[in-house]
């Protein structure tokens, strides 16, 4: 998994699979916690990464 200090600087940051699953179930706080623990990033970075993932998923589902 790729680590980054800022998803804005690196849009390819990948959140852990467990965090993806939590986010898809609407458990955003759990997704952020998992991202922080597994990637070793700060709260803001984890939150931005999870939000970017959720936004990406919702936009890709709309495009279908």
């Amino acid at each position: 998994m790729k680590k980054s200090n800022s998803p804005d600087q690196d849009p390819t940051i990948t959140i852990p699979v467990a965090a993806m699953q939590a986010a898809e179930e609407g458990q955003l706080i759990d997704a952020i916690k998992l991202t922080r623990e597994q990637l070793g990033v700060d709260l803001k970075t984890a939150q931005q990464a999870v939000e970017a993932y959720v936004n990406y998923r919702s936009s890709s589902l709309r495009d279908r």
Side-chain angles (χ1 to χ4, degrees):
M1 283 175 222
K2 197 169 196 172
K3 291 185 182 182
S4 173
N5 289 334
S6 173
D8 294 332
Q9 293 172 351
D10 183 1
T12 62
I13 186 171
T14 303
I15 66 173
V17 173
M20 291 177 189
Q21 292 169 337
E24 290 178 16
E25 294 172 0
Q27 303 297 319
L28 297 182
I29 293 173
D30 289 339
I32 293 166
K33 285 181 183 178
L34 288 164
T35 300
R36 288 188 72 195
E37 291 169 1
Q38 293 185 25
L39 297 184
V41 296
D42 63 26
L43 176 60
K44 183 177 179 180
T45 301
Q47 181 180 1
Q48 289 173 338
V50 170
E51 288 173 353
Y53 172 77
V54 169
N55 291 336
Y56 172 78
R57 288 289 293 164
S58 63
S59 70
S60 68
L61 291 175
R62 281 191 302 243
D63 293 340
R64 287 185 178 188

